[in-house]
Amino acid sequence: MAALRALDLRIFGIFLLPSLLFVGVVFVYPVLKILLISVTDPQPGLGNYMLLVENPALRRVFITTIRIAVLTTLISTLIGYLLAYRMHVAKAGELRIIIFCLMFPLWTSVLVRAFAWVALLQNNGIVNAALLGLGAIDQPLPMSRNELGVLIGMVHVMVPYATLPIYSAMKGIDPRLMQAARSLGAGAWPTFWRIFMPLTLPGVGAGMILVFITSIGFYVTPIVLGGGKVVMVAEYISVQITETLRWGLGSMLATVLLAVVLLFVFAFRRLTVLRQGAA
């Protein structure tokens, strides 16, 4: 038995080794290289990291990135939950239409969508023209070249990524649980709040993590819809690497972003484990 177990381990190691080598070459080594550059360029030490505290402009860029990413995550998750619930209760024909409308933007370039939002949101765009025509506003609303425009564009991109994990979680819920709750006298809202919604939280968590990780590294949409007035970390890193050649500063920002993402994932995972333990 011990010989068979040792043989199984060797076979497992043989098949696992190529995957480990691949991950090490394309992921672990570049991350370690970036970390090394962040503490050695232009000189050894933590000077680049101190800039994040001492430089107001750099700190403002980082705070703006976190704020927009968090707002995008919350809004996308809320919209995604509503869409997923509608998909969950929809009939087959309506479900196909919703899925098509949800997936169609994913087949379109992010750059094309960003410029489409510019046309819609600018002062003489379709949205302002419609609001002015309806008499809802007296003058055009500033919805482009600011954080609002960036947020709208990012939410539009991220809603499908929030919706699909939540819908998958909803589809896995046994409908007999809700029927049992209703048969025991629970109303529609208590049944939803105490039975249905808690069972969808794993999907909500997966959607939030996916949206936040993607949002914090957005590049094209903030450049186009921000119009140079809203600078996020990804754009700032690109400037440092390609124009000012401050590799250490760019590597530091990339490292901090990675740390923020890992912290977010760890914290959410910890909350999930604590919730399951309490249940």
Side-chain angles (χ1 to χ4, degrees):
M1 182 65 67
L4 289 176
R5 188 178 297 110
L7 179 61
D8 290 341
L9 290 175
R10 286 196 296 269
I11 294 175
F12 180 75
I14 291 173
F15 283 102
L16 184 62
L17 184 60
S19 300
L20 291 177
L21 290 175
F22 178 79
V23 172
V25 170
V26 304
F27 180 74
V28 177
Y29 173 74
V31 170
L32 293 178
K33 185 69 173 179
I34 290 174
L35 179 60
L36 179 63
I37 294 174
S38 70
V39 295
T40 58
D41 186 296
Q43 58 186 8
L46 300 177
N48 290 318
Y49 291 89
M50 292 302 298
L51 288 175
L52 192 59
V53 179
E54 298 172 351
N55 190 319
L58 188 60
R59 188 167 60 248
R60 183 168 58 252
V61 169
F62 195 82
I63 293 175
T64 298
T65 301
I66 298 297
R67 180 174 62 250
I68 293 177
V70 170
L71 289 175
T72 300
T73 301
L74 295 177
I75 297 173
S76 299
T77 303
L78 177 59
I79 297 175
Y81 199 97
L82 297 176
L83 283 174
Y85 186 78
R86 184 59 199 172
M87 293 166 63
H88 179 65
V89 300
K91 296 181 179 179
E94 183 183 358
L95 178 61
R96 285 194 293 268
I97 295 174
I98 296 175
I99 292 177
F100 175 79
C101 295
L102 186 68
M103 299 301 295
F104 182 77
L106 297 180
W107 305 333
T108 308
S109 168
V110 175
L111 185 61
V112 173
R113 280 182 279 176
F115 278 110
W117 277 113
V118 171
L120 289 171
L121 300 177
Q122 60 186 341
N123 289 343
N124 58 348
I126 297 175
V127 175
N128 273 313
L131 293 176
L132 288 170
L134 293 173
I137 56 176
D138 297 327
Q139 57 184 0
L141 297 176
M143 293 185 290
S144 64
R145 299 175 63 84
N146 52 29
E147 284 193 22
L148 177 60
V150 173
L151 188 62
I152 292 173
M154 289 178 59
V155 168
H156 177 240
V157 175
M158 287 291 101
V159 163
Y161 295 94
T163 304
L164 295 179
I166 299 174
Y167 174 67
S168 178
M170 290 180 178
K171 290 295 291 183
I173 297 176
D174 190 342
R176 292 175 297 181
L177 295 174
M178 272 63 70
Q179 296 173 3
R182 298 299 295 270
S183 67
L184 293 174
W189 177 249
T191 300
F192 172 81
W193 184 252
R194 303 186 64 179
I195 305 296
F196 186 83
M197 187 176 180
L199 293 175
T200 62
L201 290 182
V204 172
M208 290 183 68
I209 290 174
L210 185 60
V211 173
F212 181 79
I213 291 175
T214 306
S215 298
I216 204 172
F218 255 66
Y219 180 73
V220 174
T221 303
I223 291 178
V224 176
L225 288 170
K229 296 182 178 180
V230 181
V231 180
M232 294 181 65
V233 170
E235 180 184 356
Y236 199 85
I237 292 175
S238 176
V239 172
Q240 302 307 313
I241 298 298
T242 62
E243 297 183 17
T244 64
L245 301 182
R246 300 175 68 183
W247 287 73
L249 180 57
S251 299
M252 179 274 292
L253 290 172
T255 303
V256 172
L257 275 187
L258 178 61
V260 170
V261 168
L262 293 177
L263 181 62
F264 178 82
V265 173
F266 174 79
F268 190 87
R269 177 60 181 169
R270 184 64 178 170
L271 288 174
T272 304
V273 171
L274 291 177
R275 183 179 179 85
Q276 291 176 348

